[in-house]
Amino acid sequence: MTIKKIVIVGGGAVGWSVAALLRAQFPRELVVIQLIEDSRKDALSVECASSRIHSFHDLIGLQEKICMLDPYTHFGLGVMYEGWSYDSQKYMLAGGYYGASLDGVDFQNIYIKNYLSGEKNDLDDFSLNAVAAKLGRFGHPSSDSQSIYSAIKYGLHFQLDSYADILKSHALALGIDVIIADCTAVSRDNNSGNITSLELDSQHSVMADLYIDCTGEASVLLGDACGVKCASDDMDILCDRVAIGYRLQSSLLPSIAVLTSTADGFFKVIPLKDRDVIVYYFSSDLIRENDIETMLATWGFTHVTIANYRSYRREKFWVNNCLAIGHSGARYCDLLVSPLQSVRDSIVRFLDLFIDFDNVDASRDEFNRLSHIELDNINEVIELHMYASQHHSAVSCRYFSSHSLSSSSAHRLNLFVSNGRHTHCDLSLLTDIEWAAFFIGNKIIPKSYSYDVDFLDGERVRDFLSKLKAVIFESAQKIPKHADYIKSLLK
Amino acid sequence: MSEDNRIKKIIIVGGGTSGWMSAAALIKLLKDKYCEIHLIESEDIGTVGVGEATIPQIQMFNKLLDLDEDEFVRKTQGTFKLGIQFVNWKQIGQKYFHAFGDVGRDIESIQFYHYWLKLFKLGEAQDLGEYTISGVASDRGKFMRPFDAGNSPLTNIAYAFHFDAGLYARFLREYSEGRGVVRTEGKVVSTQLNSDSGFIESVTLEGGQKIEADFFIDCSGFRGLLIEEALQTGYEDWTHWLPCDRAIAVPCASAPYLTPYTRSTAHSAGWQWRIPLQHRIGNGHVFSSQFMAESEAETILLKNLDGEPLAQPRQLKFTTGKRKKFWNKNCLAIGLASGFMEPLESTSIHLVQSSIARLMTFFPNKHFAQEDIDEFNNQAHFEFDRIRDFLILHYKVTERDDSDFWRYCRNMSIPDTLTQKIEQFKRNGRIFRTSNEMFSDLSWLEVMHGQGIRPEGYHPLVDLMSKEDIANRLESVKRVIDKSVDYMPTHEQFIAENCPAKKMM
């Protein structure tokens, strides 16, 4: 077998994520992998990853210990929605289980029947994750599947440049070749459309069997050179700016990201070890950039940078021998689905589908198809969140004055509203119970519930729910305090 | 508030396997107090059910009903099934086995079959069936239920059943009536619809009795008494993809050995099933009337029996396809009323069972939320379409060129979803199980390989392991399976010790 070569253009957390995974998975004696680290700056600043990041780190062999030694990296315990759809709102979207079933009757239905009968329990109280987070507790999940603590789910928060450095040293240790240069020209074969070589400003030229475009919005290979256009975007959230800033905070506070919708946009505050980072998407015709800066300053955020933002996706993400990962292929509002989650999913998908360099047609078509499904799913999450906030946010309200809910979002919503049911879809981003937590947290309550709840005696259900709450609360109190746990880990 | 919305009465129209399976599951899950469950059937109308073969998912249904498995096997003349043997499908004289359960053992999180593909290409691996416990046990006529044997393949024996569908329906009828299902003898002659909503309000029986209900389950078979004749839901015809439209069925005397598998033998314009029961064998010839006369089909069937025929051959006509909606207004079609696919992969009972499971997930109240009905139909269409693709695969991918029928099948156009699956496998040996698809990647692998597709590539990481190491692993998998099968009793022994049925004839 001849030796093949993959060139990744663009560094940053995206490029180095790709590099690390490919180097960890392709046999070194068969495939050379080179990364051309360009001077472009990443548009991203912070990564707020859910627990799904761990399987990616396992694949590349990156230990959590290494990540936690970084001065910024923090555990993430979930997302708190504050004032998303009404002022006093406060609920958590935490991973993991909610409650437990009784006599084979699913918890969500038990909860809803009880809610409709007038006993409006807080759904958060049935999630060990949410209760522990609110109490400022944290510990790693137990590996004993019988233990209640095995249900703990946590993610990781990173400062992006710093995370890129972690990934870079890891990828270099795995044996990636790196060239520091900017790409100045791309040559293509007129017949096949394949990229044949890249000219670099270091006077080099490089050739490869597969080129991976991680050049961000510039989309140097896929967009510029291969001419793949942006598809008309159906999910423009009508924000055209994103402001990013940070404020230092004491240290080692519990790590819950907070998501809020305001009159003029949406923002998320993401805690790192020594600071909070704010990412604020807003519409410049509703609020001026100066006013945003002033507002963030009154909240204590400094070093504010404001950049233009638009959401888009290209018609294809992989054409000929050129594959785009990250913003070079698509960009979406990343408050609800973390920016690097779809990057990680894309590379894993590429590896799942790829088999050899000479036969890529089938893999390519499937890759494009699945990537579009994934983006549709992301749009659905964003759209339904905006739907929930439409009476609270001018941006959402304006969106729905010119758009109606997409048919898939409307179906999901109606299915839940009528009887508390969920639809099946490929590559689903949220589990059924997470969707339920989202709807219920925004006071979207089903009118009815599954038939089998009626078999349970009402008294028994109330007793069951109050015991469940008590057990979860007691168990959460036994988890170490977040600050103590981190100090002991770092020792 | 829920009290008012509750469905108070359900009518199932039609007995037979699907009617009584529905009745049994509903009475078990809704208990006798939730609502009334009525089943209307007529002894004058025969059921289509012959010898019926199943897939392992049926164990979940049995578990749901809390059935005693031995009693169930005994009362239905049942036997055990480890897979399906396909004869003459790729070419005349060739055989392959679609085994239930695992194939080999995954190595370094890469599926076993990629390693096997590499060695098979080099001519250094045995047939795929040799690396499955079901395949090897079938070959040697052995069977036992799995038990906790640690890492041994004996822990994971996947199995299903063959049984007499008429006896199964009788068995479930006893079960249902004992728990409160009300059976009414009679023929439905007309259906009354609400003039505004178009919902079914009642059915009228021969003799004039009118029975009302909130919800109707149509198990009336091909004709679709409610779903089609009353509601005119429409039918999607798949004959251009699955051209068989007739079957002739006949039981015959048992052979000396009780094979623990179903056999499907391809003929020149269709195929023949062979389903062993405890004291006879069910046989049937499924064929295309466009390519073969009925008399010729009958001659072929009778020539290919393992014992003397025990009854007059029975003819069946069908149109392969599905109802455009399975659930329309307040009527749900289950079984043949919902659609028909030939029993090539023993999916009929499974489709009944999964319709029931899906009904319970979307169980309606009096409002009949349209979103629920839409979601039910989406999921059901998906399931039907994927099984359809899997069946078409058997016809499309063949080397047979000995009749117009096979030439037609080789050249016919097929659904895009299937083309994509075949192409993917051809190029790189990969099979992706679409979400919730019933047949696993291993089933697809066994049939695609059995029908003669040879992938160009396999997983690249397989090359990290030396050929000798892979050969050793394969050899050890094979050795462990052989040893495990040594331990198993024969199929006859197992049945004699656990669940022998009385001879009926």
Side-chain angles (χ1 to χ4, degrees):
Chain A
M1 203 188 256
T2 54
I3 294 182
K4 299 287 184 177
K5 184 168 165 190
I6 299 175
V7 162
I8 300 159
V9 182
V14 176
W16 287 110
S17 293
V18 176
L21 184 61
L22 296 189
R23 189 65 291 165
Q25 296 290 316
F26 275 110
R28 290 180 62 172
E29 56 278 25
L30 300 178
V31 182
V32 172
I33 303 175
Q34 219 164 43
L35 184 142
I36 300 172
E37 192 172 42
D38 60 15
S39 55
R40 197 184 36 84
K41 274 298 288 173
D42 235 320
L44 303 168
S45 60
V46 63
E47 162 72 351
C48 179
S50 74
S51 59
R52 289 180 54 205
I53 195 173
H54 305 307
S55 61
F56 180 78
H57 283 173
D58 289 348
L59 278 177
I60 64 174
L62 178 60
Q63 289 179 347
E64 185 176 291
K65 210 166 61 192
I66 308 284
C67 299
M68 289 313 291
L69 287 173
D70 172 80
Y72 304 108
T73 312
H74 211 25
F75 294 117
L77 300 178
V79 180
M80 175 77 85
Y81 288 70
E82 284 187 15
W84 184 262
S85 54
Y86 55 95
D87 278 342
S88 59
Q89 182 188 30
K90 236 180 182 205
Y91 84 94
M92 267 194 87
L93 196 59
Y97 299 100
Y98 282 78
S101 61
L102 178 62
D103 288 356
V105 181
D106 161 62
F107 177 75
Q108 183 203 299
N109 284 297
I110 298 177
Y111 174 86
I112 287 167
K113 177 174 179 179
N114 203 53
Y115 188 99
L116 292 176
S117 74
E119 212 179 302
K120 297 188 173 153
N121 277 301
D122 187 344
L123 186 61
D124 284 358
D125 291 344
F126 298 96
S127 154
L128 178 63
N129 258 11
V131 174
K134 287 177 181 174
L135 288 172
R137 309 277 169 162
F138 181 75
H140 278 94
S142 161
S143 54
D144 170 10
S145 63
Q146 296 299 310
S147 157
I148 187 170
Y149 299 109
S150 65
I152 294 177
K153 284 243 160 88
Y154 69 98
L156 295 171
H157 298 171
F158 294 100
Q159 199 273 341
L160 239 280
D161 292 336
S162 207
Y163 183 45
D165 288 342
I166 297 172
L167 289 167
K168 178 175 175 176
S169 9
H170 188 71
L172 290 173
L174 288 172
I176 276 280
D177 287 344
V178 57
I179 300 175
I180 296 175
D182 281 341
C183 177
T184 52
V186 180
S187 312
R188 288 170 75 216
D189 180 302
N190 283 337
N191 290 326
S192 66
N194 276 341
I195 295 176
T196 48
S197 67
L198 306 178
E199 302 303 318
L200 305 183
D201 63 357
S202 54
Q203 312 302 320
H204 282 80
S205 111
V206 292
M207 291 165 76
D209 298 278
L210 179 72
Y211 298 84
I212 302 187
D213 185 346
C214 300
T215 60
E217 206 153 330
S219 195
V220 174
L221 306 186
L222 186 81
D224 263 12
C226 298
V228 177
K229 302 252 176 327
C230 288
S232 65
D233 190 63
D234 47 346
M235 192 58 233
D236 184 347
I237 59 162
L238 307 180
C239 290
D240 58 356
R241 299 280 191 282
V242 55
I244 292 162
Y246 66 82
R247 72 179 168 210
L248 296 177
Q249 50 136 313
S250 49
S251 75
L252 305 182
L253 287 176
S255 176
I256 301 172
V258 178
L259 190 56
T260 305
S261 84
T262 66
D264 41 51
F266 313 96
F267 69 84
K268 191 170 184 178
V269 175
I270 298 145
L272 300 175
K273 240 188 232 121
D274 73 330
R275 65 189 60 198
D276 289 332
V277 179
I278 190 166
V279 181
Y280 198 140
Y281 283 83
F282 64 97
S283 168
S284 63
D285 58 2
L286 293 173
I287 185 166
R288 290 181 311 169
E289 294 188 3
N290 283 346
D291 294 337
I292 282 279
E293 274 184 69
T294 314
M295 187 165 78
L296 294 193
T298 60
W299 296 345
F301 289 98
T302 55
H303 297 80
V304 173
T305 56
I306 296 180
N308 290 341
Y309 162 80
R310 68 189 173 99
S311 66
Y312 56 86
R313 70 165 98 166
R314 293 190 187 270
E315 286 162 353
K316 289 179 179 167
F317 312 97
W318 183 356
V319 293
N320 299 313
N321 61 348
C322 172
L323 168 70
I325 304 240
H327 288 177
S328 50
R331 186 165 181 191
Y332 52 88
C333 170
D334 53 20
L335 296 185
L336 303 160
V337 178
S338 84
L340 288 177
Q341 185 58 51
S342 76
V343 166
R344 289 186 286 268
D345 287 344
S346 297
I347 327 166
V348 170
R349 179 177 315 135
F350 164 76
L351 273 176
D352 273 349
L353 292 169
F354 180 80
I355 206 89
D356 80 51
F357 289 87
D358 303 318
N359 279 311
V360 291
D361 295 6
S363 311
R364 199 163 47 201
D365 295 347
E366 184 66 1
F367 182 89
N368 286 324
R369 189 183 75 85
L370 292 173
S371 300
H372 278 296
I373 291 178
E374 184 193 27
L375 287 163
D376 291 342
N377 289 344
I378 291 174
N379 282 350
E380 197 181 299
V381 172
I382 295 174
E383 199 186 17
L384 284 168
H385 274 79
M386 287 175 65
Y387 175 85
S389 69
Q390 62 180 322
H391 302 300
H392 195 251
S393 146
V395 177
S396 298
C397 178
R398 194 166 57 161
Y399 178 84
F400 286 104
S401 69
S402 57
H403 298 70
S404 47
L405 269 182
S406 68
S407 60
S408 64
S409 297
H411 180 60
R412 182 180 288 286
L413 176 72
N414 293 334
L415 206 51
F416 189 76
V417 169
S418 50
N419 292 309
R421 282 161 184 161
H422 302 279
T423 174
H424 267 305
C425 68
D426 281 347
L427 311 176
S428 182
L429 288 161
L430 300 182
T431 59
D432 286 354
I433 190 68
E434 285 168 343
W435 275 114
F438 157 72
F439 283 124
I440 293 168
N442 286 293
K443 292 205 169 148
I444 297 172
I445 309 293
K447 295 191 202 107
S448 189
Y449 42 81
S450 155
Y451 71 98
D452 52 2
V453 194
D454 285 337
F455 297 142
L456 301 173
D457 174 66
E459 196 51 46
R460 190 163 156 238
V461 166
R462 274 186 292 281
D463 188 47
F464 170 72
L465 290 180
S466 67
K467 276 195 184 130
L468 208 55
K469 234 179 353 187
V471 167
I472 288 171
F473 186 75
E474 277 164 33
S475 307
Q477 278 185 315
K478 289 185 192 140
I479 298 174
K481 289 221 168 72
H482 192 255
D484 296 347
Y485 190 77
I486 293 209
K487 275 184 209 142
S488 72
L489 267 189
L490 294 179
K491 244 179 227 162
Chain B
M1 70 177 270
S2 67
E3 300 295 311
D4 302 331
N5 292 332
R6 190 186 276 195
I7 295 278
K8 297 211 171 59
K9 186 168 171 185
I10 300 174
I11 290 180
I12 301 166
V13 175
T17 319
S18 48
W20 286 112
M21 281 178 78
S22 305
L26 284 170
I27 197 70
K28 178 70 173 39
L29 289 168
L30 297 178
K31 312 190 167 81
D32 56 350
K33 281 180 222 76
Y34 187 89
C35 69
E36 288 177 56
I37 301 168
H38 287 241
L39 187 145
I40 303 171
E41 68 174 338
S42 162
E43 271 163 10
D44 297 345
I45 304 174
T47 55
V48 167
V50 272
E52 198 70 61
T54 54
I55 53 177
Q57 280 87 338
I58 195 176
Q59 287 177 41
M60 276 150 57
F61 190 74
N62 288 346
K63 218 169 261 166
L64 169 83
L65 300 185
D66 280 328
L67 295 188
D68 178 281
E69 196 174 283
D70 285 339
E71 186 194 352
F72 149 72
V73 171
R74 207 165 40 233
K75 287 195 171 164
T76 60
Q77 294 282 328
T79 64
F80 296 89
K81 167 174 175 184
L82 294 167
I84 306 175
Q85 183 186 52
F86 287 93
V87 181
N88 297 345
W89 277 87
K90 179 185 169 219
Q91 36 181 242
I92 295 173
Q94 182 265 0
K95 280 183 203 172
Y96 70 93
F97 198 70
H98 174 191
F100 295 145
D102 292 342
V103 176
R105 194 174 272 271
D106 295 354
I107 305 170
E108 309 279 352
S109 84
I110 294 167
Q111 287 126 318
F112 173 85
Y113 72 78
H114 283 289
Y115 294 93
W116 172 80
L117 273 177
K118 173 172 179 165
L119 254 66
F120 188 83
K121 272 172 115 112
L122 297 168
E124 292 175 28
Q126 304 191 43
D127 234 25
L128 195 55
E130 296 295 312
Y131 303 95
T132 67
I133 186 156
S134 315
V136 175
S138 286
D139 242 13
R140 291 165 57 185
K142 297 216 167 181
F143 178 77
M144 75 189 298
R145 294 196 185 102
F147 65 100
D148 188 358
N151 264 339
S152 155
L154 293 169
T155 309
N156 292 310
I157 301 171
Y159 67 97
F161 311 92
H162 303 113
F163 52 72
D164 179 317
L167 294 176
Y168 185 52
R170 194 183 302 170
F171 178 66
L172 293 177
R173 176 179 160 186
E174 265 170 44
Y175 178 99
S176 308
E177 288 189 306
R179 284 169 173 75
V181 172
V182 179
R183 175 184 181 277
T184 306
E185 167 69 33
K187 264 188 206 163
V188 172
V189 290
S190 67
T191 308
Q192 291 73 48
L193 305 183
N194 181 294
S195 52
D196 295 331
S197 64
F199 275 49
I200 300 176
E201 287 180 336
S202 58
V203 291
T204 306
L205 305 188
E206 214 171 44
Q209 189 191 355
K210 196 185 247 189
I211 311 182
E212 296 180 345
D214 304 310
F215 185 47
F216 293 82
I217 300 180
D218 187 346
C219 296
S220 63
F222 292 128
R223 60 188 290 207
L225 199 63
L226 307 182
I227 193 82
E228 198 57 57
E229 291 182 9
L231 295 176
Q232 300 181 346
T233 304
Y235 194 79
E236 194 177 310
D237 186 337
W238 287 339
T239 310
H240 53 298
W241 285 322
L242 293 164
C244 291
D245 58 353
R246 296 281 187 281
I248 304 178
V250 71
C252 75
S254 288
Y257 303 105
L258 201 51
T259 51
Y261 55 86
T262 310
R263 179 181 298 144
S264 161
T265 308
H267 293 316
S268 60
W271 61 279
Q272 178 173 338
W273 76 72
R274 178 190 182 280
I275 296 174
L277 301 179
Q278 288 198 22
H279 301 295
R280 62 184 163 89
I281 299 172
N283 307 277
H285 185 185
V286 176
F287 64 100
S288 166
S289 63
Q290 208 188 318
F291 294 94
M292 186 177 277
E294 210 144 292
S295 55
E296 189 186 353
E298 188 173 314
T299 313
I300 292 176
L301 172 66
L302 295 172
K303 239 178 28 199
N304 288 285
L305 300 179
D306 285 359
E308 57 171 304
L310 300 175
Q312 275 301 315
R314 280 204 299 147
Q315 268 105 33
L316 304 164
K317 285 185 186 176
F318 52 82
T319 307
T320 298
K322 64 174 181 185
R323 210 60 70 189
K324 285 184 178 153
K325 289 175 190 164
F326 303 97
W327 184 342
N328 190 3
K329 303 187 194 288
N330 62 339
C331 172
L332 172 65
I334 294 186
L336 299 179
S338 67
F340 179 83
M341 285 187 271
E342 56 196 271
L344 185 54
E345 285 284 353
S346 316
T347 46
S348 321
I349 294 224
H350 175 73
L351 282 169
V352 171
Q353 173 188 341
S354 82
S355 302
I356 297 169
R358 196 172 294 120
L359 166 63
M360 298 326 286
T361 306
F362 293 98
F363 194 77
N365 56 30
K366 278 191 177 160
H367 296 304
F368 285 96
Q370 190 56 42
E371 302 78 38
D372 285 354
I373 296 176
D374 292 345
E375 181 68 19
F376 180 101
N377 284 326
N378 286 345
Q379 292 186 17
H381 280 301
F382 180 85
E383 180 168 48
F384 264 74
D385 294 358
R386 293 294 79 72
I387 292 176
R388 171 202 68 194
D389 287 358
F390 191 54
L391 298 190
I392 298 172
L393 171 72
H394 295 69
Y395 288 100
K396 173 71 181 178
V397 181
T398 177
E399 290 164 15
R400 286 190 67 154
D401 193 18
D402 53 295
S403 67
D404 288 345
F405 174 81
W406 289 109
R407 281 188 288 274
Y408 169 82
C409 293
R410 285 172 58 149
N411 295 320
M412 69 184 170
S413 71
I414 55 172
D416 291 345
T417 40
L418 176 59
T419 309
Q420 197 192 356
K421 244 180 167 141
I422 294 175
E423 286 305 306
Q424 190 113 48
F425 183 69
K426 262 189 197 161
R427 285 167 200 266
N428 55 25
R430 300 227 170 164
I431 301 154
F432 292 92
R433 188 177 188 170
T434 329
S435 69
N436 298 317
E437 178 174 5
M438 197 197 65
F439 284 105
S440 70
D441 51 349
L442 295 176
S443 289
W444 278 90
L445 166 75
E446 290 170 68
V447 174
M448 289 203 274
H449 191 268
Q451 294 287 139
I453 307 180
R454 297 289 173 266
E456 290 156 24
Y458 45 81
H459 200 291
L461 290 193
V462 165
D463 283 334
L464 286 182
M465 195 183 266
S466 74
K467 202 180 80 183
E468 289 68 31
D469 283 351
I470 299 176
N472 286 337
R473 292 277 190 120
L474 259 61
E475 194 41 48
S476 101
V477 165
K478 172 95 191 87
R479 216 168 31 238
V480 171
I481 287 177
D482 285 345
K483 261 186 131 163
S484 304
V485 173
D486 285 344
Y487 178 85
M488 294 166 74
T490 65
H491 190 201
E492 292 89 343
Q493 276 167 346
F494 186 86
I495 287 180
E497 278 163 28
N498 294 282
C499 41
K502 286 198 196 103
K503 197 156 180 176
M504 296 198 50
M505 264 147 300

